[in-house]
Amino acid sequence: EMSKSTKRISKLLSLVLRHKPEHLGLQLDENGWVEVEELLAAICESGLSVDRSMLDDVVRDNDKQRFAFSADGSRIRASQGHSVSVDVELKQQQPPAVLFHGTVEKFVGLIRESGLKKMQRQHVHLSVDVATASQVGSRRGKPIILEIDASKMSADGHQFFLSANGVWLTDHVSSEYITFP
Ligand code: HQG
């Protein structure tokens, strides 16, 4: 369970580690890492007081396990969801036969025409189950669940990656692989 302050810090980390490191005057390295010491100093400079043990709590209790420390604990990065171009060293993997994508009605017509596009992010994000896809769609309104024939996509040579926090990623999903409700 994420507390209010944990959520606030998580939002700030998402902004900085996925989209706008410059918001805190930081730079990500090519693999998306930033030094924990630098991050904490920059957060403090912005007027929030966050120490290492609070950061540990935020990473550990995060509802989607969005962030990860390096093995030695000296660096931190977002596991997926970036709009800035970084290589988070995703492992290519065989996906489950079926994956899901939660969206909203207003996008369905465009998705029928041009498939699922990565939009602002580095990949199209797919969920392993309807419940998760439904949560993703709910961020924008009444969720519409699309079913993706990942098995066929994979057989046709499309690559899938599994993020460190269990999100399936791919480059594009053509509408021929999508079952619309
Ligand atoms: C839609 C959150 C028009 C797509 C979530 C989605 C997820 C199209 C939106 C993660 C389209 C992009 C990712 C097309 C796709 N025409 N609209 N051709 N193709 N779309 O946020 O999947 O809390 O970039 O359906 O829970 O919603 O940030 O992707 O509605 O895991 O960790 O364009 O972000 O996780 O939106 O969400 P997004 P998403 P976090």
Side-chain angles (χ1 to χ4, degrees):
E1 182 72 7
M2 285 166 72
S3 72
K4 218 171 170 187
S5 73
T6 300
K7 224 177 229 172
R8 181 154 177 236
I9 299 166
S10 172
K11 287 224 148 118
L12 177 65
L13 293 183
S14 284
L15 175 71
V16 168
L17 299 178
R18 288 168 163 180
H19 308 298
K20 284 193 175 158
E22 67 274 14
H23 175 76
L24 288 182
L26 295 166
Q27 269 192 309
L28 310 183
D29 78 5
E30 58 181 344
N31 301 124
W33 297 110
V34 62
E35 295 286 335
V36 172
E37 293 295 326
E38 274 182 45
L39 174 69
L40 290 174
I43 291 175
C44 288
E45 222 163 283
S46 82
L48 268 174
S49 71
V50 177
D51 63 16
R52 176 69 203 228
S53 85
M54 286 166 79
L55 187 66
D56 287 345
D57 291 350
V58 170
V59 171
R60 190 197 54 230
D61 299 338
N62 197 259
D63 56 353
K64 290 185 180 174
Q65 297 294 300
R66 290 178 181 88
F67 316 107
F69 290 113
S70 57
D72 69 358
S74 69
R75 296 172 299 163
I76 185 171
R77 71 180 173 189
S79 293
Q80 42 69 231
H82 298 82
S83 56
V84 297
S85 150
V86 295
D87 172 12
V88 291
E89 303 150 292
L90 294 167
K91 279 178 282 170
Q92 196 195 318
Q93 288 202 33
Q94 183 63 36
V98 176
L99 286 167
F100 301 91
H101 180 84
T103 189
V104 283
E105 184 60 41
K106 66 175 174 184
F107 294 145
V108 169
L110 288 163
I111 296 171
R112 271 184 204 281
E113 280 174 31
S114 53
L116 283 170
K117 300 206 277 193
K118 49 193 169 183
M119 311 306 279
Q120 256 69 263
R121 303 201 196 236
Q122 299 285 99
H123 297 93
V124 173
H125 286 54
L126 301 172
S127 307
V128 283
D129 54 36
V130 173
T132 309
S134 184
Q135 281 169 15
V136 173
S138 300
R139 287 154 52 242
R140 301 201 154 77
K142 183 171 172 277
I144 302 282
I145 308 301
L146 310 180
E147 204 180 293
I148 315 300
D149 190 345
S151 164
K152 177 97 190 328
M153 278 185 72
S154 174
D156 290 347
H158 298 282
Q159 296 189 346
F160 286 83
F161 303 89
L162 182 58
S163 74
N165 60 338
V167 179
W168 284 91
L169 305 165
T170 195
D171 198 50
H172 177 253
V173 180
S174 154
S175 63
E176 67 183 281
Y177 302 113
I178 304 175
T179 304
F180 292 87

